[in-house]
């Protein structure tokens, strides 16, 4: 440690150390003398073991700076005081920027001194940033439809209104942040260019997000506390400064915005001039409106494409024009009835009616096109649910995942590997280092952004929240395979049952029949169940249960649903007709032709959920085995000949072929490709290596018989002496059927 120094400039280094701190806490203060000591005490406890500094930038008219100087020697971390004279005081945001200039830490953390931002949240922000690889972590205040909790209802509604206004002006730049007006955030110092920041007022986060947009932004929700002491600095004058700040940001943040306004204004004037000119001729009023509108559309497109957004590819101009023209025709169809109604019913002049229609349709167009990405601003944070997969990986999600219901837990796992959150204001956007997939239908369609890291963050569109099966199959499953492989496990397709402490893995040549065979073995031979459409396996040959809800095929509907109520049976029957193999092939064909299949699939699933039921509903007495030793790999094929031994290499090659066929709709393959883009080998290669190691010195069989009679050729499933003995470990921990039923039905 260096010794304490005094700085003769306006910055007083009350206690200063030589080491570079991990985080610099920038705390703007104004008349907070009674809060200084409690704040520093709580920071000391919260950040024990972390090298940090505190920078107070003070605009007080009371004894706050003297209080900071007096208590600072009590603390074992660096403390700086910048007591700004009146001529340098330019608001809270200006104070934060001054603090940024003086900070030395790897991370910059901004927080208030009034203790409404709990100091205990700072280590959460740091941990989250390090786990997710984020450049900025926003402390988002928990809220309801009126706004942030912890504020008075009047202030909360004001904050919510200002948030919506900010999103109206910056729908793209603010779409990844649910609370852009919060005063608590952490940002990587190298990502902030202080020379670009020109603050005005007290919303420095808004300025930083817009001026420094090239950042991976994440969030941590926290409880906004009551004031410890002092009074709020927000008043009417600050509100007016906020409006002025927003307008200035809007005019300067996007270089094309003034040009866009100019083109639209000129287009409106042109439309009025053309309409007035046509109305002075013998042309019918309706045709005058249509022709004036079409000419204005051509004007707007030409200047927008050539002058406003002049960086588009020339060969794509025809496509852009067709889209631009189609959208405007749709809104023309909306304008015409309004004009006719105003002219016929209210006897309004055609020109005045046209202007009113332009205004009304313009508002609708603004709200229905660009702004549908923010219109969920009046909402609240989703509650979190957690899934603990055998202690191997943990998932935190704002979406209930029926496919993982067996692993649901009421308390967070010890480590979160995957975090799923819904972009409640619209569709996730592209972020640096993120894997992005979207089908250009905004919040109503399929969109996902994945930030791979030690804690991988997944941000999904609101539409995916309502289609959890599509979210699992198309997004989470490839991500699970990637995370499991990083930990030395494979998510192997196939059904699996256990006989005592040994397990049999089943797969088929046509992708069907393995589930029925596994259920038959469980029902007839009292085998335990591990999974029907995937199983976790490690290279030592230990398999772990992965009992997802079972997809009801036509055959299973006839043979395995007799325990279900008749209403459920017939509902599943109708669902199986919708989700037939023919429908799947049609979906694949559409995907190959670049149709928005992912969006169509989630819309279908919202209307008609997939035909699924937990195994405990189909077989009430089923026993679900936690884990077991893999003893046999069985290939089920249609034909004659019964059972025969095959080599392990044959079994692994067959499994690899099936794993390629059993993947889902877009963006399944795209996500797999992107996740493994930097790896030395592919997903299937690494999974093959694990399965080959697991199959070492274990039996492999091919069973040929008529469809759905394979179980007759599998014997009891017990070791018959041809399989080398493996070391015994304490496996075979079983869950009771009642507990499993409760877990699956959550």
């Amino acid at each position: 440690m260096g010794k304490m120094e005094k700085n003769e400039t306006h910055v007083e280094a009350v206690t200063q150390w030589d080491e570079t701190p991990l985080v610099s806490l920038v705390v703007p203060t104004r008349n907070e003398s009674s809060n200084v000591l409690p704040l520093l005490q709580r920071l000391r406890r919260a950040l024990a073991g972390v090298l940090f500094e505190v920078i107070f930038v003070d605009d007080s008219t009371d004894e706050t700076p003297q209080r900071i100087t007096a208590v600072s020697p009590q603390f074992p971390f660096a403390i700086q005081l910048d007591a700004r004279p009146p001529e340098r005081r330019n608001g809270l945001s200006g104070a934060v920027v001054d603090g940024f200039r003086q900070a030395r830490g790897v991370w910059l953390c901004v927080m208030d001194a009034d203790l409404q931002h709990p100091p205990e949240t700072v280590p959460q922000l740091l941990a989250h940033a390090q786990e997710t690889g984020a450049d900025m972590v926003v402390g988002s205040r928990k809220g309801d439809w009126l706004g942030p909790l912890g504020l008075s209802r009047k202030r909360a509604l004001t904050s919510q209104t200002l948030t919506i206004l900010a999103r109206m002006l910056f729908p793209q730049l603010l779409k990844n942040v649910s609370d852009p007006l919060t005063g608590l955030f952490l940002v990587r110092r190298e990502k902030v260019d202080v020379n670009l920041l020109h603050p005005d007022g007290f919303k420095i986060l808004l300025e930083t997000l817009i001026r420094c947009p090239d950042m991976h932004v994440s969030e941590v929700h926290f409880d906004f506390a009551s004031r410890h002491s002092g009074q709020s600095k927000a008043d009417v004058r600050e509100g007016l400064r906020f409006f002025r700040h927003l307008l200035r940001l809007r005019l300067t943040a996007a270089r094309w915005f003034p040009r866009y306004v100019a083109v639209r204004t000129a287009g409106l004037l042109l439309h009025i001039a053309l309409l007035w000119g046509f109305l002075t001729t013998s042309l019918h009023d309706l045709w005058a409106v249509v022709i004036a509108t079409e000419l204005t559309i051509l004007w707007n497109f030409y200047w927008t494409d050539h002058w406003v957004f002049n960086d588009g590819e020339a060969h794509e101009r025809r496509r852009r024009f067709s889209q631009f023209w189609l959208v405007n025709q749709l809104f023309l169809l909306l304008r015409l009835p309004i004009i006719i109604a105003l002219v016929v019913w209210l006897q309004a002049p055609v020109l005045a009616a046209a202007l009113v229609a332009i205004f009304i349709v313009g508002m609708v167009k603004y709200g229905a096109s660009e702004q549908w990405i923010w219109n969920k601003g009046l909402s609240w944070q989703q509650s979190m649910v957690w899934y603990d997969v055998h202690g191997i990986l943990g998932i935190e999600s704002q979406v209930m995942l029926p496919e993982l219901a067996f692993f649901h837990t009421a308390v967070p796992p010890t480590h979160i590997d995957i975090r799923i959150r819904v972009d409640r204001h619209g569709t996730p956007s592209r972020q640096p280092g993120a894997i992005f997939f979207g089908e250009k239908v905004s919040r109503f369609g399929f969109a996902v952004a994945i930030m791979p890291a030690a804690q991988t963050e997944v941000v999904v569109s609101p539409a995916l929240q309502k289609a959890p099966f599509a979210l699992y199959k198309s997004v989470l499953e490839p991500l699970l395979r990637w995370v499991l492989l990083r930990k030395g496990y494979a998510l192997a397709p196939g059904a699996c049952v256990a006989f005592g402490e040994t397990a049999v893995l089943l797969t088929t040549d046509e992708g069907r029949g393995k589930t029925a065979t596994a259920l038959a073995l469980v029902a007839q031979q009292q085998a335990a169940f591990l999974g029907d459409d995937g199983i976790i396996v490690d290279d030592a040959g230990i398999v772990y249960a992965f009992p997802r809800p079972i997809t009801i095929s036509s055959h299973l509907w006839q043979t395995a649903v007799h325990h279900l109520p008749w209403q459920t049976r017939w509902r599943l029957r109708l669902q199986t007709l919708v989700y037939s193999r023919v429908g799947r092939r049609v979906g694949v064909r559409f995907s190959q032709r670049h149709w928005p299949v992912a969006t169509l699939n989630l819309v279908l699933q919202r209307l008609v959920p997939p035909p699924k039921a937990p195994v405990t509903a189909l077989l009430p007495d089923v026993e679900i085995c936690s884990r077991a030793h893999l003893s046999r790999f069985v290939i089920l094929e249609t034909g004659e000949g019964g059972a025969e031994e095959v080599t392990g290499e044959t079994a692994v090659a067959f499994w690899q072929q099936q794993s390629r066929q059993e993947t889902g709709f877009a963006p399944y393959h795209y996500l797999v490709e992107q996740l493994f883009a930097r790896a030395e080998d592919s997903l299937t290669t690494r999974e093959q290596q694990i399965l080959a190691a697991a199959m070492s010195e274990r039996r492999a069989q091919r069973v040929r018989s008529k469809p759905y009679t394979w179980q007759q050729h599998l014997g009891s499933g017990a070791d018959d002496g041809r399989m080398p003995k493996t070391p015994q470990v304490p496996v075979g921990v079983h869950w009771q059927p009642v507990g499993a039923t409760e877990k699956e039905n959550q």
Side-chain angles (χ1 to χ4, degrees):
M1 293 185 181
K3 75 180 175 178
M4 189 171 66
E5 303 172 343
K6 290 286 183 181
N7 194 326
E8 297 301 324
T9 67
H10 64 275
V11 179
E12 180 183 355
V14 183
T15 53
Q16 178 69 61
W17 315 111
D18 292 336
E19 294 91 342
T20 299
L22 176 64
V23 58
S24 297
L25 289 117
V26 178
V27 184
T29 54
R30 194 178 88 186
N31 300 340
E32 302 283 1
S33 60
S34 59
N35 294 326
V36 170
L37 182 59
L39 172 66
L40 293 174
Q41 290 173 335
R42 290 174 63 177
L43 284 174
R44 177 173 56 187
R45 291 193 295 267
L47 293 170
V50 176
L51 188 62
F52 69 98
E53 66 177 355
V54 180
I55 302 172
F56 289 101
V57 185
D58 185 71
D59 291 346
S60 297
T61 57
D62 66 357
E63 66 278 6
T64 298
Q66 291 80 9
R67 182 64 172 163
I68 295 172
T69 302
V71 303
S72 293
Q74 305 176 23
F75 298 96
F77 47 82
I79 298 175
Q80 286 190 175
L81 170 62
D82 181 359
R84 303 197 303 177
E87 62 271 14
R88 290 186 53 240
R89 296 172 185 171
N90 57 350
L92 182 146
S93 295
V96 172
V97 173
D98 281 353
F100 282 175
R101 296 183 188 278
Q102 301 156 27
R104 301 180 299 118
V106 178
W107 294 91
L108 307 175
C109 182
V110 178
M111 65 183 305
D112 291 345
D114 55 15
L115 300 178
Q116 290 188 290
H117 298 154
E120 294 75 17
T121 306
V122 177
Q124 297 178 29
L125 300 179
L126 275 170
H128 188 79
Q130 292 168 345
E131 288 183 333
T132 62
D135 299 313
M136 172 183 282
V137 181
V138 175
S140 178
R141 297 168 292 184
K142 295 179 181 178
D144 57 21
W145 67 278
L146 282 178
L149 299 176
L151 299 174
S152 66
R153 292 292 83 182
K154 179 179 179 181
R155 286 190 61 199
L157 186 57
T158 300
S159 177
Q160 188 75 308
T161 303
L162 296 179
T163 296
I164 294 172
L165 177 62
R167 290 190 173 281
M168 290 176 62
L169 295 177
F170 303 98
Q172 298 296 325
L173 292 174
L174 300 183
K175 69 188 307 181
N176 293 313
V177 182
S178 62
D179 189 10
L181 304 188
T182 181
L184 174 63
F185 64 93
L186 179 82
V187 62
R188 200 182 300 271
R189 184 161 65 98
E190 65 182 19
K191 287 290 184 176
V192 178
D193 186 348
V194 293
N195 295 319
L196 297 178
L197 302 180
H198 305 289
D200 183 11
F202 59 101
K203 298 304 178 185
I204 184 59
L205 175 60
L206 183 67
E207 175 88 13
T208 306
L209 287 167
I210 294 170
R211 300 291 189 190
C212 308
D214 188 24
M215 287 191 289
H216 166 195
V217 182
S218 187
E219 289 188 348
V220 167
H221 297 154
F222 76 99
D223 293 307
F224 194 61
S226 301
R227 288 186 63 86
H228 179 265
S229 179
Q231 296 181 344
S232 172
K233 310 305 185 295
D235 53 24
V236 175
R237 184 175 62 179
E238 287 292 349
L240 295 176
R241 292 181 70 180
F242 177 80
F243 283 108
R244 184 179 65 189
H245 188 203
L246 270 184
L247 181 60
R248 182 166 55 82
L249 282 174
R250 179 69 275 181
L251 292 175
T252 59
R255 60 177 177 81
W256 50 264
F257 186 73
R259 295 184 181 185
Y260 179 81
V261 172
V263 169
R264 290 294 171 168
T265 302
L268 177 61
L269 296 176
L270 176 65
H271 181 79
I272 295 172
L274 290 173
L275 185 58
W276 179 81
F278 289 139
L279 290 175
T280 59
T281 67
S282 59
L283 195 63
H284 190 278
D285 292 349
L286 184 60
W287 282 111
V289 171
V290 171
I291 295 174
T293 300
E294 296 298 333
L295 292 175
T296 305
I297 289 172
L298 293 175
W299 163 278
N300 286 337
F301 175 79
Y302 179 86
W303 288 107
T304 300
D305 197 70
H306 287 77
W307 187 51
V308 179
F309 305 112
N310 58 357
D311 53 355
E313 297 290 340
H315 66 276
E316 292 285 322
R317 187 162 292 142
R318 181 176 298 180
R319 176 188 59 80
R320 293 196 297 271
F321 174 73
S322 63
Q323 294 175 346
F324 185 88
W325 183 85
L326 179 60
V327 169
N328 280 276
Q329 300 314 305
L330 294 175
F331 284 101
L332 174 61
L333 295 178
L334 180 60
R335 283 172 54 196
L336 290 177
I338 297 174
I339 295 173
I340 293 172
L342 292 174
V343 171
V344 174
W345 295 344
L346 301 180
Q347 303 298 313
V350 176
L351 187 59
L355 292 176
V356 172
I358 288 173
F359 175 78
I360 295 174
V361 174
M363 295 295 292
V364 174
K365 182 178 179 181
Y366 190 68
S369 56
E370 186 181 36
Q371 293 313 305
W372 62 31
I373 63 177
W374 63 264
N375 67 354
K376 241 190 174 182
L378 292 174
S379 62
W380 50 90
Q381 276 83 6
Q382 302 290 325
S383 58
M384 291 294 182
V385 291
W386 297 282
Y387 302 93
D388 189 346
V389 183
H390 296 291
I392 298 172
L393 64 85
I395 300 172
E396 180 182 85
S397 175
Q398 288 182 329
V399 182
M400 290 292 293
L401 300 168
E403 295 275 28
L404 298 180
F406 186 78
F407 302 106
H408 179 262
T409 176
V411 296
T414 55
H415 179 71
I416 300 297
D417 297 280
I418 300 173
R419 180 173 180 257
I420 302 172
R421 66 180 176 92
V422 181
D423 188 340
R424 61 184 178 139
H425 294 289
T427 56
S429 62
R430 302 177 189 274
Q431 295 195 52
I435 300 170
F436 176 81
F437 178 88
E439 291 187 324
K440 298 182 180 180
V441 283
S442 193
R443 65 177 296 106
F444 303 111
F446 193 113
V448 60
I450 300 175
M451 284 66 76
Q455 182 185 108
T456 298
E457 190 168 21
V458 182
V459 186
V460 302
S461 60
L464 265 175
Q465 181 183 10
K466 304 297 184 180
F469 290 107
L471 170 60
Y472 172 83
K473 186 60 180 179
S474 296
V475 177
L476 188 56
E477 186 172 292
L479 188 55
L480 283 175
R481 294 174 72 180
W482 179 71
V483 173
L484 285 170
L485 281 172
R486 294 175 63 188
K487 295 174 177 282
Y489 300 86
L491 183 60
C496 192
V497 294
F499 299 91
E501 296 183 348
T502 60
V504 177
L505 183 61
L506 308 172
T507 187
T508 59
D509 61 342
E510 297 180 355
R512 57 180 174 177
K514 61 183 182 298
T515 298
T517 302
L519 294 181
L521 289 170
V522 171
Q524 297 171 11
Q525 301 182 11
Q526 302 303 310
F529 185 81
L530 284 95
D532 83 296
D533 192 24
I535 200 73
I536 299 174
V537 60
D538 65 15
D539 56 7
I542 306 297
V543 292
Y544 299 81
F546 203 71
R548 294 162 49 197
I550 291 175
T551 301
I552 306 300
S553 63
S554 297
H555 176 76
L556 288 179
W557 187 84
Q558 297 172 1
T559 60
V561 300
H562 51 277
H563 290 291
L564 300 175
W566 70 269
Q567 301 95 327
T568 304
R569 292 201 303 271
W570 284 103
R571 173 178 57 79
L572 289 171
R573 180 54 175 165
L574 294 175
Q575 291 170 311
T576 60
L577 296 177
V578 175
Y579 290 90
S580 63
R581 286 180 170 267
V582 173
R584 183 178 180 84
R585 286 196 292 267
V586 171
V588 172
R589 183 70 58 86
F590 285 163
S591 179
Q592 293 171 347
R593 297 186 178 184
H594 305 291
W595 283 44
V597 173
T599 296
L600 295 175
N601 183 42
L602 71 85
V603 170
L604 173 63
Q605 291 195 16
R606 290 187 64 175
L607 298 174
V608 184
K612 290 179 177 286
V615 65
T616 50
L618 303 178
L619 298 174
D621 296 327
V622 66
E623 186 178 21
I624 300 178
C625 178
S626 173
R627 61 174 182 163
H629 285 291
L630 179 63
S631 65
R632 277 194 291 168
F633 186 105
V634 180
I635 302 170
L636 308 177
E637 294 184 351
T638 302
E640 297 180 356
E644 64 177 5
E645 300 292 320
V646 297
T647 64
E649 291 80 3
T650 300
V652 172
F654 182 87
W655 169 84
Q656 186 177 19
Q657 178 184 357
Q658 296 304 307
S659 68
R660 293 194 185 101
Q661 298 176 0
E662 296 194 7
T663 53
F665 283 129
Y668 194 108
H669 293 288
Y670 173 76
L671 296 182
V672 167
E673 176 185 338
Q674 293 298 311
L675 286 168
F676 285 85
R678 300 172 185 174
E680 296 180 357
D681 48 22
S682 67
L683 177 145
T684 53
T685 300
R686 297 172 69 177
E687 287 181 335
Q688 181 185 19
Q689 293 170 350
I690 291 177
L691 193 62
M695 284 297 300
S696 177
E697 299 183 348
R698 289 175 171 83
R699 293 173 58 195
Q701 289 181 307
R702 177 183 285 113
V703 176
R704 290 193 177 97
S705 72
K706 295 180 180 179
Y708 305 108
T709 63
W710 293 290
Q711 69 274 8
Q712 301 173 9
H713 303 273
L714 293 177
S716 66
D719 178 20
D720 59 6
R722 288 182 291 174
M723 181 189 72
K725 296 292 184 180
T726 55
Q728 296 297 308
V729 296
V731 297
V733 179
H734 299 90
W735 284 301
Q736 295 298 319
V738 173
T741 303
E742 292 174 353
K743 187 180 289 288
E744 292 232 13
N745 288 334
Q746 288 182 7

